[in-house]
Amino acid sequence: MNTRAWIVFLDESGVSLLPQIRRTYAPRGRTPLLRHRLNWKRASMAGALGYHSTDPDRGARLCFHLKPGSYDTAALIEVLEQMKVFYRGERVVLVWDGRSAHWSRAMRAWVAEQDWLTLERLPAYAPELNPVELLWSSLKKRELANLAGDHLSDVADATEHGIHRINANPQLPWSFLARTGLTIRPPHPPNLRKDQ
């Protein structure tokens, strides 16, 4: 494996018009009610969170993709093509789970033609090792919590607002990476150094 590369974790999640119900505060005796249309329209999101293996000053980088419906191999290849542009064709070691679309014959054939991309697989049943899971949790607990949108675009707008919030705080993406417990090289990203 080339050690001068971006180490990137990728994961997908889904959102729908059904609200993510979370606890909230309200005046005593006024129980908050969520009114929403019983609508199962869904969108899928893919997040790629990476850091440079030898140059922490380049910062953690978050790449995000949102689409109606779900991801299959062809849609994931489109995401990877956008990711190549995002990382300007630099070497990327992509770490993701064992989802069938990630390791399909078509995906492996496409990856074999890419000189910038190397795939690594997370262990089975180990979502705690993928920092993008923490990204999803952050979005669903803040921007998507109790959101009763009328249209899928309402959910998409809230999700993109959350991505902007996370990108605006350089420590947050690093904290997602550090929280996995994985050894990150170099060991102290610039905003998490012990001397601060």
Side-chain angles (χ1 to χ4, degrees), residues 100-147:
S100 59
H102 294 173
W103 300 97
S104 68
R105 183 174 288 137
M107 179 63 76
R108 286 180 293 164
W110 182 83
V111 169
E113 297 172 359
Q114 308 303 310
D115 61 351
W116 63 279
L117 184 63
T118 303
L119 298 183
E120 294 292 334
R121 187 176 188 157
L122 283 167
Y125 307 109
E128 69 279 2
L129 296 178
N130 193 334
V132 182
E133 295 286 352
L134 297 168
L135 166 76
W136 301 144
S137 177
S138 179
L139 287 174
K140 290 177 181 182
K141 287 180 180 173
R142 296 266 311 258
E143 285 77 14
L144 299 177
N146 301 321
L147 176 67

Side-chain angles (χ1 to χ4, degrees), residues 45-123:
M45 20 184 211
L49 179 58
Y51 68 97
H52 199 274
S53 61
T54 60
D55 188 359
D57 292 326
R58 295 176 82 175
R61 298 202 55 203
L62 175 59
C63 181
F64 178 75
H65 187 266
L66 181 71
K67 74 178 280 311
S70 60
Y71 286 104
D72 58 8
T73 298
L76 285 171
I77 288 173
E78 288 178 25
V79 170
L80 294 178
E81 287 171 342
Q82 289 180 13
M83 199 171 82
K84 179 180 180 178
V85 172
F86 183 77
Y87 285 102
R88 297 182 179 102
E90 292 186 70
R91 297 270 314 138
V92 169
V93 176
L94 184 67
V95 183
W96 57 7
D97 58 29
R99 181 178 172 180
S100 59
H102 294 173
W103 300 97
S104 68
R105 183 174 288 137
M107 179 63 76
R108 286 180 293 164
W110 182 83
V111 169
E113 297 172 359
Q114 308 303 310
D115 61 351
W116 63 279
L117 184 63
T118 303
L119 298 183
E120 294 292 334
R121 187 176 188 157
L122 283 167

